[in-house]
Amino acid sequence: MPGRSFLALGALLATVALAPGAHAADALLSQGRPATASSQEGAGYTPAAAVDGDLTGTRWASQWSDQQWLQVDLGRGANLSRVVLTWEAAYGRDYEIQASDNGTDWRTLRKVTGGDGGTDDLAVSGSGRYVRMQGLARATGYGYSLWEFQVYGSAGTGTPASGAVKVEGGQGSWRLTAGGQPYTVKGVTWGPAIADAPTYLPDVRAMGANTIRTWGTDGSSKALLDAAASNGIRVINGFWLQPGGGPGSGGCVNYVTDTAYKNNSLTEFAQWVEAYKSHPATLMWNVGNESVLGLQNCYSGSELEAQRNAYTSFVNDVARKIHSIDPDHPVTSTDAWTGAWPYYQRNAPDLDLSAVNAYNGVCQVRQDWIDGGYTKPYIVTETGPAGEWEVPNDVNGVPDEPTDVQKADAYTKAWTCVTGHQGVALGATLFHYGTEHDFGGVWFNLVPDGMKRLSYYAVKRAYTGSTAGDDTPPVISTMSVSPTSTAPAGGEFTVRADVRDPDGDPVTYKVFLSGNHADGDKRLVEAQWRATGNGTFAVTAPQKLGVWKVYLQAEDGHGNAGIETRSVKVVAPPVSGTNLALNRPATASSSQASYGDCPCTPQLAVDGRADTRWASDWSDPQWFQVDLGATKALRTLQLVWDPAYAKSYAVQVSDDGITWRAVYSTAAGDGDVDTVPLSATARYVRLQLTARGTGWGYSLHELGIYG
C-alpha cells in the first residue's frame, strides 16, 4: 500500500546482542568444513585444526602480528545464529565476526572489544556461506590462536531452484511453478532498508515465508535480490507508477496524453528487467500499485473512466515489453480493490495473473472473482488487519484500532481465505514486515522496532503450521483510558489494562503518545508516566489540545512485545471561577469570511465552544478585544489557540476602550494553551498580536477571562 500507509525504511543494525546459547534447532555447521587463514605459525597449527572438533588437542595459530584472520566455508548459504570461539592463551582482544556470500564481500555480524580470552559464545543474526574471525588487536605478544572456531545455525535453502517461473493450468485449476516445481506464494511485503536485508531475511525465512514483495526496482535492488537468494527467498519485483497508493496519494499523470511519462517509464522498467531477469531471486514482475483507484484523486466523471482505461492499457504495454525481454517470469499488476479488475480484463490481456490489495475484505475476493467471471488466477499482494479506512470511529472520532489479538486473528483468517480458493489464488504477501515504530508501524508492522508481535507468530503458524517452542509476546486486554475525552492539557490521565505473558516471563512496560490526529506527527514519543499498581499507569497529557493516541507496550525480555492503543482527547485545563468573557461582545481588526470552516467571526472565540474559532487575515499586526460590560477584577486569562497561533503578543486592559495599559507579553508563544495569571481591574481586554507562529493568520478557539 504505501501511499495509504508508508514505504518502510529500517535502521542499520551492525551488531547484535549476546544470547545465552543456541536454540535447540541450531546445528554445528563448521566442523570439518574447509578452513583458511591469513597465516599460520607453523606446520602444526593449520586452519583446519580449528574446525576439527578437538577442543584441547589441536589449534590454529597465526603469525605474531595484528590483522590476522581465520575463515570457514560452510559449503552453502546458512542462517547464522551463534559463533563460539575457544581461545588458546594467545587470544584476540579486539576482533570482528564477519560473513560473506562469495568469500570476497564481507559484512560484520558482531564486533568484540576488550575480550578476555577463554570461550566467547556470541549470538549473531545474519546469513552467509563464509564466516570469518577478523583479528583487530592481540591481547599478547604472540599471534591469534584458536582451539576451536564453531559456527551454529540452520542451513539455508541456498539459491532458489533455477528455471522459469510459470503460471500453468487452466480455468480454476491454475498453479504457479518455479523451476518446474509447484510454488505457493507465502510472502510478506518488505520494509527494512536494503542494507539490513542480511539481518532480517533469515528471520523472514524462519517464519516460513518464501517470498517478499517490493514496490520499486532500480540499481539498488541487486543487493536485496542477492541477500534474498542466499536465504532461499524469491522477490516480486515492483515497478511504481503514479498515482500510486490509492486514496490520498499525489503524483497525478495524464495517461491519455502524457506520452513522455509513459515512454520514460517503459524505458526505465525495461532496463531493470534486463538487469534482473536472470537473477535466481526473481519470481515475477508487478507493474503499479493501486493506481486505478488512485486516479480518482486526479479525475472524475467520464475523464476518470478514460484515464483508468488508458492506465490499464499502458500496463499492458509494459507487460508486453517485459515479456519480450523476459519470457521466463510472469507479470502482474496490483490494485486496491477488485473493482479495478474489469479494467485489466478489458485492457491488459498480456498480464499473466491478477493481483489485489485487500485487508478486511480479503475473504470477499473469492466471490468477487466468481461474480466477475474472471479468467486468470490471482495473488493477494497486501492483506492483514482492518485498516483505518475499514474500522468504525471511537468515542473521540478517530479510527478504532484493532487489538493485538484481533490483528493476529486477521492474518490467520486472511491466509485461510486465500488458500481456500484453490486453483485460483496462488498465494499472498502479507502486510507488513516492517520495523517502523510509529503510528502506521504499530497498526501494521509485524516487527516494529524489531519487536515481534502476536501477528508475527500468527503468520509463522500460517506458513509453517506451528509455533511450538517459541516464546511468544505478552497479551494485553481490556485497555482503557480515563478520562477518555476530557484529559486536561499537562495534567494526568489513567491507563488501565490486564497483561499476561503466556510463558510466564517478567514484563516491563513503556507508554508512548502519538499526535497523528492532533498535529499530524506520526512518531511515537515516550510519555511521562508512572505505574500505580494493578495494571494502572498515570500518564501526563501533552500540552497541545486534540485527540492523541496512547500506546501501552509490554515487553518480555525475549524480543517480543504486546502493544495496545486507545485514544485520549486533551482539552484545556479547567480554570476556577466565572468566565467573564463568555458571550460578551467581541471585536477584532479583521476576520476571515470564508476559508475552510469559516466565517470565523470574533464572537466565536467567546461562545464557550471548542469547535468554533475566530481567525484573522494572514498579516501582522492584528488585535482582538472583548467588552466585559463593566469594570471587573481579573485573575486569569486562558487562550485556546488553533494551529494558527501567535508567537508574539501582549495582553492589554482598558477602562474606557481608548486608553490601554499592558499587563502581560510574550515573544515565545508555542500554540499550546496559554493560561496567564492577571492582577488587574478593567472593562476591556485586548490581545495585541504582533508576530504569527505560522504562515496563516491568528486563530483562537476560545478566550476566557476569569475573576
Side-chain angles (χ1 to χ4, degrees), residues 251-321:
C252 295
V253 169
N254 189 317
Y255 283 95
V256 174
T257 63
D258 197 341
T259 303
Y261 175 83
K262 292 188 286 186
N263 287 342
N264 290 339
S265 297
L266 199 59
T267 300
E268 179 186 352
F269 299 165
Q271 172 189 356
W272 302 121
V273 173
E274 184 68 47
Y276 302 131
K277 66 180 182 180
S278 299
H279 198 288
T282 293
L283 181 70
M284 68 178 71
W285 308 98
N286 189 8
V287 183
N289 182 71
E290 300 192 353
S291 294
V292 172
L293 180 64
L295 282 163
Q296 70 184 9
N297 301 313
C298 309
Y299 305 100
S300 61
S302 60
E303 181 61 22
L304 174 59
E305 287 301 294
Q307 292 293 333
R308 285 174 166 170
N309 284 313
Y311 168 79
T312 46
S313 294
F314 175 62
V315 167
N316 195 65
D317 293 340
V318 177
R320 188 182 299 117
K321 182 67 173 181

Side-chain angles (χ1 to χ4, degrees), residues 177 202 210 317 447 597 686:
T177 62
N210 60 11
D317 293 340
V447 285
D597 58 343
R686 169 184 283 190

Side-chain angles (χ1 to χ4, degrees), residues 387-459:
E388 292 177 77
W389 60 97
E390 296 176 307
V391 298
N393 287 342
D394 66 10
V395 67
N396 289 321
V398 301
D400 193 4
E401 186 167 338
T403 66
D404 267 6
V405 171
Q406 291 169 333
K407 292 174 184 177
D409 289 345
Y411 284 104
T412 301
K413 180 181 178 182
W415 184 245
T416 299
C417 289
V418 170
T419 56
H421 200 180
Q422 295 182 7
V424 180
L426 305 182
T429 50
L430 306 180
F431 193 88
H432 177 56
Y433 195 92
T435 59
E436 297 90 347
H437 188 254
D438 58 12
F439 175 86
V442 168
W443 196 303
F444 285 108
N445 283 349
L446 301 175
V447 285
D449 204 24
M451 306 294 288
K452 296 177 180 178
R453 310 278 296 278
L454 285 177
S455 295
Y456 171 95
Y457 292 98
V459 174

Side-chain angles (χ1 to χ4, degrees), residues 16 24 61 74 76 91 171 173 235 252 287 310 338 354 361 404 432 482 533 536 551 593 602 618 636 680 690:
V16 293
L74 304 180
R76 66 187 301 185
Y91 65 93
Q171 184 74 9
S173 59
V235 180
C252 295
V287 183
T338 55
S354 301
D404 267 6
H432 177 56
S482 179
T536 61
Y551 299 79
W618 296 11
T636 305
T690 53

Side-chain angles (χ1 to χ4, degrees), residues 10 21 83 166 243 251 255 273 277 347 352 360 362 376 513 521 552 602 634 681 694:
V83 176
K166 299 292 185 183
Y255 283 95
V273 173
K277 66 180 182 180
N347 302 313
D352 298 286
N360 202 41
V362 66
K376 291 182 180 178
L513 290 166
D521 188 346
L552 178 63
L634 313 180
T681 57
T694 71

Side-chain angles (χ1 to χ4, degrees), residues 657-680:
I658 299 172
T659 303
W660 298 90
R661 56 190 183 275
V663 293
Y664 173 81
S665 66
T666 183
D670 58 8
D672 295 333
V673 175
D674 291 346
T675 303
V676 179
L678 299 177
S679 179

Side-chain angles (χ1 to χ4, degrees), residues 6 18 104 127 134 165 223 241 248 266 310 325 357 544 627:
F6 47 82
L18 191 68
T104 302
S127 63
Q134 175 64 61
V165 179
L241 284 170
L266 199 59
I325 302 169
N357 296 339
K544 188 170 292 297
D627 177 1

Side-chain angles (χ1 to χ4, degrees), residues 195-565:
D196 288 336
T199 299
Y200 289 108
L201 282 173
D203 184 53
V204 171
R205 185 70 198 187
M207 292 173 66
N210 60 11
T211 307
I212 58 173
R213 178 202 172 195
T214 69
W215 291 271
T217 303
D218 56 24
S220 68
S221 300
K222 184 179 185 301
L224 179 61
L225 289 163
D226 289 347
S230 71
N231 285 281
I233 292 173
R234 287 189 176 268
V235 180
I236 298 175
N237 295 309
F239 290 122
W240 191 258
L241 284 170
Q242 296 290 12
S249 299
C252 295
V253 169
N254 189 317
Y255 283 95
V256 174
T257 63
D258 197 341
T259 303
Y261 175 83
K262 292 188 286 186
N263 287 342
N264 290 339
S265 297
L266 199 59
T267 300
E268 179 186 352
F269 299 165
Q271 172 189 356
W272 302 121
V273 173
E274 184 68 47
Y276 302 131
K277 66 180 182 180
S278 299
H279 198 288
T282 293
L283 181 70
M284 68 178 71
W285 308 98
N286 189 8
V287 183
N289 182 71
E290 300 192 353
S291 294
V292 172
L293 180 64
L295 282 163
Q296 70 184 9
N297 301 313
C298 309
Y299 305 100
S300 61
S302 60
E303 181 61 22
L304 174 59
E305 287 301 294
Q307 292 293 333
R308 285 174 166 170
N309 284 313
Y311 168 79
T312 46
S313 294
F314 175 62
V315 167
N316 195 65
D317 293 340
V318 177
R320 188 182 299 117
K321 182 67 173 181
I322 291 174
H323 283 141
S324 72
I325 302 169
D326 176 15
D328 291 332
H329 296 94
V331 182
T332 189
S333 182
T334 285
D335 228 281
W337 92 126
T338 55
W341 281 359
Y343 297 93
Y344 290 102
Q345 180 164 262
R346 180 166 59 246
N347 302 313
D350 288 286
L351 292 177
D352 298 286
L353 69 164
S354 301
V356 67
N357 296 339
Y359 288 79
N360 202 41
V362 66
C363 292
Q364 181 62 30
V365 172
R366 175 178 183 170
Q367 192 61 48
D368 290 349
W369 185 89
I370 293 170
D371 294 344
Y374 297 111
T375 56
K376 291 182 180 178
Y378 66 88
I379 56 173
V380 175
T381 40
E382 292 178 24
T383 188
E388 292 177 77
W389 60 97
E390 296 176 307
V391 298
N393 287 342
D394 66 10
V395 67
N396 289 321
V398 301
D400 193 4
E401 186 167 338
T403 66
D404 267 6
V405 171
Q406 291 169 333
K407 292 174 184 177
D409 289 345
Y411 284 104
T412 301
K413 180 181 178 182
W415 184 245
T416 299
C417 289
V418 170
T419 56
H421 200 180
Q422 295 182 7
V424 180
L426 305 182
T429 50
L430 306 180
F431 193 88
H432 177 56
Y433 195 92
T435 59
E436 297 90 347
H437 188 254
D438 58 12
F439 175 86
V442 168
W443 196 303
F444 285 108
N445 283 349
L446 301 175
V447 285
D449 204 24
M451 306 294 288
K452 296 177 180 178
R453 310 278 296 278
L454 285 177
S455 295
Y456 171 95
Y457 292 98
V459 174
K460 182 176 182 180
R461 189 178 304 109
Y463 286 168
T464 67
S466 175
T467 54
D470 286 334
D471 190 299
T472 55
V475 179
I476 304 173
S477 59
T478 63
M479 179 179 173
S480 62
V481 175
S482 179
T484 302
S485 301
T486 56
E492 284 191 339
F493 61 89
T494 300
V495 173
R496 191 189 183 288
D498 294 318
V499 183
R500 64 175 181 84
D501 186 88
D503 307 288
D505 297 322
V507 175
T508 58
Y509 296 95
K510 295 176 182 176
V511 181
F512 299 93
L513 290 166
S514 168
N516 180 54
H517 296 293
D519 59 11
D521 188 346
K522 294 181 179 296
R523 294 177 302 161
L524 264 61
V525 178
E526 190 155 9
Q528 295 181 15
W529 63 278
R530 55 191 174 86
T532 54
N534 297 320
T536 61
F537 307 85
V539 182
T540 300
Q543 291 289 343
K544 188 170 292 297
L545 305 190
V547 178
W548 290 71
K549 294 289 288 294
V550 56
Y551 299 79
L552 178 63
Q553 182 163 310
E555 301 178 8
D556 66 358
H558 296 282
N560 300 309
I563 309 175
E564 293 295 327
T565 179

